[in-house]
Amino acid sequence: MIEQSAPIRFRILGPLEVWSGAEWGQITAAKWRALLAALLLQHSQPVATDRLIADLWPGQPPANAANLVSVYVLRLRRLLGDGATALVTRPPGYQLVLAPGELDAERFGQLATEGRAALAAGDPERAAGLLSQALGLWSGPALTDVPSSPLVDAESSRLAEARVRATELRIEADLGCGRSEQVTPELQRLVADHPMREEPWALLMRALAGAGHQAEALAVYGQVRKVIADELGVEPGTALQQLYQQILNADASSPAAGRGAVVLDAAGLAAPAPAQLPADIADFTGRAGQVAQLSALLAGDRQAGEGPAGDGPGGRGPLGDGQAGEGPAAGGEPPGEGPSGSPGVVPVVLVVGSGGLGKTALAVHAAHLLSGQFAGGQLYVNLLGATEPLVPAEVLARFLRDLGADPSRIAAGEEERAAQFRTRLAGRRVLIVLDDARDAAQVRPLLPGSASCAVLITARRAMPELEGCRLLDLDVLPPAEARALFGRVAGEGRARAEPEATSGVLAACAGLPLAIRIAGARLAARGGWTVRTLAGRLADERRRLDELRAGNLAVRASFEVSFASLPRAVGASGADPARVFRLLGLWTGPSIALPAAAALAGQPETGTEEALEVLVDAHLLDTPEPDVYRFHDLLRVYAADRARAEETEPDRLAAVTRLLTWYLHTIEAAARVISPQHHRVPLDPPGLEVRPLAFPSLEEALAWCDHERAGLTAATRLAAQYQLPDIAWKLPAAAMSYFYRRSHWSDWLITHQAGLASARRLGDKPAEAWMLNNLGMAYGQQRMEESVGCFEQALALYREINDVQGESRAATNVAKANLDLHRFAEAQAAAQESLAIQRQAGKRYGEGIALGVLGCACRELGHFDEAGRWLKQALAIFSDLGDRDSEADVLADLGDLYLDQDEVSAAIEYYLESLAIRREITDRYGEASTLRRLSEARLRAGDVGEARRLLTEALLLFEELGDHAQAAEVRASLAEPM
């Protein structure tokens, strides 16, 4: 039974209903129902306001539609009562945050999936119970009282199909429990309601035959044949025809009625069903989601309607997408559509993944669970596709002998043998496991022609040319399953006794089942070792792959099989996938985009992309999104090993320099758009092999920086590691505009500390002063004394090298730091000095900053009129420069000035102007800070409700930004009476 972590609060399997805490209630207003339904059906993600408008008003929406949506949201929040916090604002719209199991449709899908898996695993009693529980959640057609929209119509149709399929599965389970008589009336209603579905007709024939009514079962076939012929002009499908023949030839009371026909061997005797599966793994752990998927698909459930076929942990691609299998199926055919869901088509499932992911273990384990469903037997062969591929004709000859064929009558040619193989399997329920396949050409002759059979394939590469094949792209184990596997192999007691060391071992193994099994086996065989001993040996990346070896198991050897099969060059550019793989091992970031990879390889993007896609197909590289690539952690270690062994030191340095140069020029191009007034980093031309990006808009520049945030930090560290000090200080200097805009203080500090060390190593005083000045700005958020120290050191260096512009920047920052330290008189004096330097240098941006600091210092000293003059001068300068960020800062400062003078209305106007700019430029940190100030003004104006709403909105932003200190302060304010 599934774990019910929360009671059902929302019903859509019938009318739309909400649990009030005491009873179920319906929503009277149609638009409210439509809005709540749209949010419920997409509760895993924020729903844009524009999308909600389209759902609520499918024709021509009213002019004030956006305002109406916000009003409906407010009313729904009130209606939901205690659950109102679940309906939250999430740009670009709203999201209904549900706990697992709070939606009846979600609970239905979970129960149906478990029931399907139990049926496939040979437990029909449990399956019947689960599926009955799932069907008991229905009270009518789904979303029956919700106004029609494309989303509602599509979802209600999907759920209706899921309900019918769950009913069919429950009846299948009841038949497995011997309840043929009891289900017959229900089946007669089902075929009347769905006359074109062949599955209910087949179930009715089986139920009648199982109850001893053979003549009636045969008569049912005549009915369905007439219905289908009248409507479609064709005969029933192969499965129904075969079932008819089996019932016709079998004794009506025989329990074998409806099963596969008996096959005779060459001597005319009954041939034993083949049972060739290797032994199951005793300590097989996890992969429950994939086992359920394989069970459902291979047992003949090819029309599952209960959500995407890929739900379940650890899978990717068409049967599973993303980490832990979250999200909808990506690519492939939707369940119930296309060849794999058509009646009479052989279910074929391909499990793909890199070496060491446990493809064979999963396939063998799932096949053993399914063996009871395939009375005709199980065929297994290791095709050796990754090393010395077997010839299909030889495999066919072996299979034919195993199925009872006379060896002297086995045809000589592959095509003829394939035909004989298909004939032998006709009407039999046989499971065929083709392990370690090379490609579709090797597999295709080994496929049966009868839908009573099923085929499970494992391979290191996908086979898109294999028609009708469903893909399960295997991923690493999630943390809980990885820990469980390690404990089962190494010993639960040892793993529990040293939890931190166990975490270290598992981090080194990076979720790869082969690595975890080897690590556990090494520990189990060495009683004198502690887990900490093993963790210490695995901590060194250069030794890690050598440590992950036990007996004839080795992670390195598994990787080398895939690496050795790579082509040496692809495309007209001659890009070498093996060399691209090695060079990627030099990069330490979490992922790499195509343009960056092209710079690393020193190749055009087209050729580089071809090589990268070859690596993806070989499962040596992953592509989480278009034009973005990443390694599994152990594969990155292997690639780095290959680079050190096969690339010369000058070649490695040249590749890293190209990559870091690309990052430097690209982040500087972004900085020019993000903060055009900031001082520019001096750069040499990038070179012909480096093609940095350009950004036509602020949104595109910020989006690239957001995506590459971790990469910028990794690039700075790599520059320091390769002793490229000029790049190591210029990268953070260029990135500072982005760090400032997004308030990424920790990234700012980490990169600039590395940059400062590199500048000092280089002996470059201008660079050292630049880093000190920027570090002072970062320290200014929390460590003000260190901030002042950095600014003063930078100011001294700028004066020493006679850099007037640098001196002006540092002087302004000294003034700002004194202001933040509440040294208002010192701040006023320093700001006046800075203002004189800025005006002498003709730097209007710096002048505006100095004026702003001067105005704030005067406000704190009580010189309100003077403060207003300075701040308004600063505002005029920033407005002329078009610097929206600084303009918003000064507007907020003016709001503070007027609030200090109890001119609340004026303060609110300034805050609102500042807030509008913050939202326009997507400065979320500035938006949250301004919301706090505006909340205080609204409270002073006596509007307590609006003050609390603004403060709550600020809290959500601070929490999303990870600013726990600010969030705690706001939370404390909300807890106090206003």
Side-chain angles (χ1 to χ4, degrees):
M1 183 65 63
I2 63 173
E3 179 182 350
Q4 298 184 2
S5 56
I8 294 175
R9 292 186 54 240
F10 299 94
R11 287 176 173 173
I12 63 173
L13 301 180
L16 178 59
E17 295 179 305
V18 179
W19 179 252
S20 66
E23 61 181 356
W24 288 101
Q26 294 184 322
I27 297 173
T28 55
K31 291 297 185 187
W32 299 9
R33 290 198 300 274
L35 176 61
L36 181 56
L39 293 169
L40 282 168
L41 295 178
Q42 303 169 87
H43 68 85
S44 62
Q45 59 188 356
V47 185
T49 301
D50 290 345
R51 175 67 186 272
L52 293 171
I53 291 172
D55 286 335
L56 266 62
W57 294 278
Q60 183 67 29
N64 63 339
N67 290 335
L68 288 174
V69 168
S70 64
V71 170
Y72 296 163
V73 168
L74 178 62
R75 290 174 179 173
L76 281 177
R77 282 177 174 148
R78 291 172 180 168
L79 181 67
L80 297 179
D82 292 340
T85 55
L87 180 48
V88 297
T89 301
R90 287 278 191 275
Y94 304 92
Q95 182 177 1
L96 188 61
V97 181
L98 300 185
E102 286 191 321
L103 179 63
D104 61 348
E106 187 177 79
R107 185 75 57 80
F108 166 75
Q110 292 171 324
L111 286 165
T113 297
E114 282 208 5
R116 190 166 60 246
L119 185 59
D123 190 351
E125 197 68 57
R126 181 169 182 269
L130 289 166
L131 291 161
S132 296
Q133 188 179 348
L135 292 165
L137 296 172
W138 287 76
S139 60
L143 299 161
T144 186
D145 62 342
V146 177
S148 174
S149 74
L151 175 65
V152 169
D153 294 346
E155 189 65 10
S156 59
S157 296
R158 185 190 73 81
L159 287 168
E161 169 65 19
R163 184 183 188 182
V164 174
R165 186 60 186 133
T167 302
E168 293 170 350
L169 287 170
R170 200 225 71 231
I171 294 172
E172 175 89 27
D174 282 337
L175 289 175
C177 297
R179 293 190 278 266
S180 297
E181 291 278 10
Q182 293 92 320
V183 299
T184 299
E186 183 180 5
L187 279 168
Q188 290 169 335
R189 291 192 300 272
L190 195 61
V191 298
D193 292 339
H194 304 279
M196 301 309 296
R197 291 180 72 96
E198 293 195 7
E199 183 65 19
W201 290 103
L203 290 169
L204 180 56
M205 290 171 65
R206 288 174 54 194
L208 290 168
H213 307 302
Q214 183 185 28
E216 292 180 38
L218 296 173
V220 166
Y221 180 78
Q223 296 174 34
V224 66
R225 184 181 182 191
K226 184 177 187 305
V227 168
I228 293 175
D230 289 346
E231 291 292 329
L232 304 178
V234 297
E235 289 292 314
T238 304
L240 266 177
Q241 294 182 38
Q242 290 176 349
L243 178 59
Y244 172 73
Q245 289 295 331
Q246 290 164 5
I247 296 174
L248 185 65
N249 296 330
D251 179 70
S253 62
S254 170
R259 296 183 183 175
V262 176
V263 176
L264 304 181
D265 64 14
L269 302 175
Q276 300 178 352
L277 296 176
D280 199 359
I281 298 175
D283 55 8
F284 185 90
T285 304
R287 301 291 195 199
Q290 289 86 350
V291 171
Q293 292 167 29
L294 294 177
S295 297
L297 290 165
L298 293 169
D301 181 14
R302 282 134 21 230
Q303 296 178 353
E306 300 86 350
D311 294 347
R316 303 175 295 173
L319 294 185
D321 182 23
Q323 296 293 324
E326 295 171 356
E333 298 159 358
E337 300 177 8
S340 61
S342 304
V345 174
V346 180
V348 179
V349 181
L350 172 61
V351 180
V352 297
S354 64
L357 280 175
K359 301 181 294 297
T360 298
L362 171 63
V364 170
H365 182 69
H368 273 284
L369 293 177
L370 287 166
S371 59
Q373 301 290 312
F374 291 90
Q378 307 89 44
L379 296 170
Y380 172 88
V381 64
N382 184 347
L383 294 173
L384 304 176
T387 51
E388 299 178 2
L390 297 183
V391 177
E394 296 177 0
V395 178
L396 285 167
R398 197 194 94 182
F399 279 171
L400 285 167
R401 290 192 298 270
D402 296 337
L403 290 168
D406 184 348
S408 66
R409 294 175 179 259
I410 295 176
E414 178 183 294
E415 188 174 344
E416 292 83 357
R417 288 180 180 180
Q420 289 179 321
F421 179 59
R422 292 192 294 271
T423 300
R424 279 268 159 183
L425 291 177
R428 299 186 66 181
R429 283 194 62 76
V430 176
L431 176 62
I432 304 165
V433 180
L434 305 176
D435 194 16
D436 192 17
R438 181 179 183 84
D439 51 30
Q442 187 188 31
V443 165
R444 196 174 283 113
L446 307 178
L447 300 181
S450 173
S452 59
C453 299
V455 183
L456 177 55
I457 309 167
T458 72
R460 296 191 179 217
R461 299 171 183 268
M463 301 178 190
E465 67 274 31
L466 196 61
E467 300 83 357
C469 176
R470 301 301 300 274
L471 180 69
L472 174 59
D473 195 348
L474 208 58
D475 204 350
V476 297
L477 290 176
E481 293 185 6
R483 184 174 289 272
L485 176 58
F486 180 73
R488 294 191 70 175
V489 178
E492 295 287 353
R494 296 175 79 177
R496 283 197 301 267
E498 298 180 77
E500 290 185 10
T502 296
S503 296
V505 170
L506 294 174
C509 294
L512 191 73
L514 176 61
I516 297 167
R517 187 171 292 281
I518 290 173
R522 292 199 73 191
L523 195 63
R526 292 162 175 80
W529 282 17
T530 64
V531 183
R532 187 173 302 279
T533 303
L534 179 60
R537 297 175 72 94
L538 293 174
D540 184 351
E541 277 196 0
R542 295 199 177 201
R543 293 179 51 195
R544 186 171 299 165
L545 293 180
D546 294 326
E547 291 291 338
L548 290 173
R549 174 188 297 274
N552 62 350
L553 296 178
V555 171
R556 186 191 298 278
S558 178
F559 292 163
E560 284 174 349
V561 170
S562 296
F563 182 77
S565 67
L566 291 174
R568 304 331 295 174
V570 293
S573 66
D576 181 357
R579 184 164 194 267
V580 171
F581 176 81
R582 293 193 297 269
L583 294 180
L584 287 173
L586 303 174
W587 173 234
T588 56
S591 64
I592 190 165
L594 174 59
L600 178 68
Q603 295 281 349
E605 284 190 22
T606 302
T608 305
E609 183 179 22
E610 290 171 346
L612 291 168
E613 290 300 321
V614 168
L615 295 173
V616 171
D617 289 340
H619 279 82
L620 290 170
L621 202 60
D622 187 22
T623 176
E625 57 185 282
D627 294 337
V628 176
Y629 301 87
R630 69 185 179 196
F631 274 129
H632 177 275
D633 285 351
L634 287 175
L635 274 168
R636 182 186 59 76
V637 173
Y638 175 68
D641 280 356
R642 301 295 303 222
R644 284 189 292 268
E646 299 179 39
E647 299 289 333
T648 66
E649 185 175 347
D651 285 346
R652 295 199 301 271
L653 179 60
V656 169
T657 302
R658 287 193 302 268
L659 174 63
L660 298 181
T661 301
W662 180 87
Y663 265 105
L664 173 57
H665 281 261
T666 301
I667 185 58
E668 174 59 15
R672 290 175 183 274
V673 178
I674 296 170
S675 299
Q677 306 302 328
H678 284 183
H679 192 51
R680 303 270 60 91
V681 177
L683 298 180
D684 295 326
L688 296 177
E689 293 179 320
V690 177
R691 304 166 189 85
L693 302 180
F695 303 98
S697 69
L698 174 64
E699 291 74 17
E700 291 175 87
L702 287 172
W704 180 85
C705 291
D706 287 339
H707 191 277
E708 288 287 352
R709 177 183 167 192
L712 293 169
T713 303
T716 302
R717 288 172 169 162
L718 194 62
Q721 176 187 332
Y722 273 80
Q723 298 184 11
L724 297 169
D726 197 51
I727 296 178
W729 78 262
K730 288 181 178 179
L731 256 172
M736 189 275 290
S737 295
Y738 165 66
F739 293 149
Y740 178 80
R741 171 62 69 92
R742 290 295 201 228
S743 306
H744 293 318
W745 311 118
S746 62
D747 294 338
W748 190 339
L749 285 170
I750 289 169
T751 56
H752 279 72
Q753 286 165 347
L756 177 61
S758 295
R760 285 172 171 167
R761 188 181 306 114
L762 193 64
D764 187 335
K765 290 188 176 182
E768 181 182 355
W770 197 319
M771 290 291 96
L772 284 165
N773 185 69
N774 286 6
L775 267 174
M777 294 170 67
Y779 283 137
Q781 298 304 311
Q782 294 177 337
R783 295 150 62 177
M784 287 307 307
E785 291 295 344
E786 291 180 65
S787 174
V788 172
C790 287
F791 289 141
E792 289 176 342
Q793 290 180 63
L795 182 59
L797 279 170
Y798 281 129
R799 284 173 174 166
E800 178 184 341
I801 61 178
N802 197 29
D803 184 340
V804 177
Q805 292 187 13
E807 181 184 356
S808 66
R809 291 195 302 274
T812 300
N813 287 333
V814 168
K816 179 70 168 60
N818 278 308
L819 179 67
D820 291 338
L821 284 168
H822 295 181
R823 300 170 182 169
F824 302 124
E826 292 91 331
Q828 183 184 26
Q832 287 171 333
E833 180 184 0
S834 171
L835 181 61
I837 296 172
Q838 300 285 1
R839 285 175 170 169
Q840 180 183 1
K843 305 297 290 183
R844 294 204 72 212
Y845 173 77
E847 180 184 353
I849 295 294
L851 285 166
V853 175
L854 188 54
C856 290
C858 289
R859 185 195 77 229
E860 296 290 353
L861 291 169
H863 307 154
F864 296 135
D865 292 341
E866 188 178 357
R869 288 197 302 274
W870 296 130
L871 289 172
K872 288 175 181 178
Q873 288 181 46
L875 182 63
I877 288 174
F878 292 133
S879 180
D880 289 344
L881 292 174
D883 189 328
R884 303 289 279 163
D885 189 24
S886 299
E887 191 178 348
D889 284 340
V890 177
L891 285 166
D893 290 338
L894 281 165
D896 292 345
L897 173 64
Y898 282 96
L899 194 63
D900 284 351
Q901 300 174 80
D902 287 326
E903 297 183 34
V904 178
S905 297
I908 289 173
E909 289 302 318
Y910 278 116
Y911 287 144
L912 287 172
E913 285 189 64
S914 176
L915 183 62
I917 294 174
R918 299 294 191 198
R919 287 172 171 167
E920 174 192 331
I921 63 177
T922 64
D923 177 6
R924 298 173 72 216
Y925 191 90
E927 179 184 354
S929 299
T930 308
L931 283 167
R932 286 190 71 180
R933 296 153 107 165
L934 181 57
S935 171
E936 174 63 25
R938 291 292 190 190
L939 185 62
R940 294 268 287 274
D943 192 346
V944 176
E946 180 65 5
R948 291 192 69 84
R949 188 192 71 78
L950 292 167
L951 211 53
T952 301
E953 194 173 345
L955 174 62
L956 290 173
L957 282 171
F958 282 128
E959 288 177 339
E960 290 175 8
L961 291 165
D963 192 330
H964 304 299
Q966 294 270 25
E969 291 179 12
V970 175
R971 203 176 290 108
S973 299
L974 284 168
E976 297 175 358
M978 289 188 173

